[in-house]
Amino acid sequence: ALRDATRTFTHDEVRRLTHKIAHALRAAGLKRGSRVAFYSPNCALAFVAMISVFRAGCVWQLVYNGNALTENVDFLNDNGTEWLFHHSRTATEADEFKAKVSSLKGTISLDTELEAWAAPHPDIFPEEEHTASDLAWVKATGGTTGRSKSSMISHRAATTLFSAFHWCMPL
C-alpha cells in the first residue's frame, strides 16, 4: 500500500496501524474536531498518521517547513492546535513549537515514537459518521498580502479535490 525509502506497508498493516493511532489520539484527550498538525518531510508514516487523524474525526493541519518558525507558531496558535506529529529530523522545531504553542497537549515523532505509542491500543476503531460539511483540514494561505491566514476545507471539498485529481490524472 505504501512505501518510502525506509519502510513498506501492506494494506492490512496500514489499516491496523491507523485504527491504533486513532485510539491513541482519543486516549491523549483529542476528540472530533481537534486540530492535529504535521511537521515532517514526506514519509509513509506521515501518511498513515494523516489517515488516522481523519479516522478519529480530528482535523489535519499541514505545517510548511519552508516557512519561518514564527509564521508556523502563529499558524498553530491561531488554530488552537492540540497535537503535533513530527519527524525526528524536525525535533528542534518541534521543541520550539512545544514551548511557544500553548494549546499543544503533546507531540510524537513519526519515525521514532509513533508505533510504540500506538501499540497498546486496539486495531479496530469504531466507525463514526462524518458529514460532508465537517472540517477535514486547515491549510495556511501563502501570506502574500500580509500574515498568513487559514483556509478551512470540508470533507466535501477534499473528496471533490481528490476525485478531480483522479479524473484528470488516473493512477
Side-chain angles (χ1 to χ4, degrees), residues 3-71:
R3 180 177 57 210
D4 64 19
T6 62
R7 297 283 301 272
T8 299
F9 292 91
T10 67
H11 288 277
D12 190 56
E13 288 170 330
V14 170
R15 183 190 57 77
R16 288 177 184 277
L17 188 52
T18 60
H19 283 267
K20 287 176 173 285
I21 296 168
H23 274 293
L25 287 167
R26 289 293 176 88
L30 279 72
K31 58 189 183 319
R32 282 181 65 108
S34 291
R35 308 292 175 89
V36 180
F38 284 70
Y39 192 73
S40 172
N42 290 338
C43 70
L45 279 169
F47 193 76
V48 170
M50 180 188 72
I51 294 169
S52 307
V53 166
F54 293 138
R55 187 178 298 285
C58 297
V59 178
W60 176 53
Q61 293 180 254
L62 179 63
V63 182
Y64 179 54
N65 59 12
N67 286 345
L69 184 70
T70 55
E71 288 179 57

Side-chain angles (χ1 to χ4, degrees), residues 69-79 101 147-148:
L69 184 70
T70 55
E71 288 179 57
N72 286 331
V73 167
D74 288 345
F75 175 69
L76 296 173
N77 275 317
D78 289 349
N79 285 287
V101 179
R147 189 169 165 197
S148 182

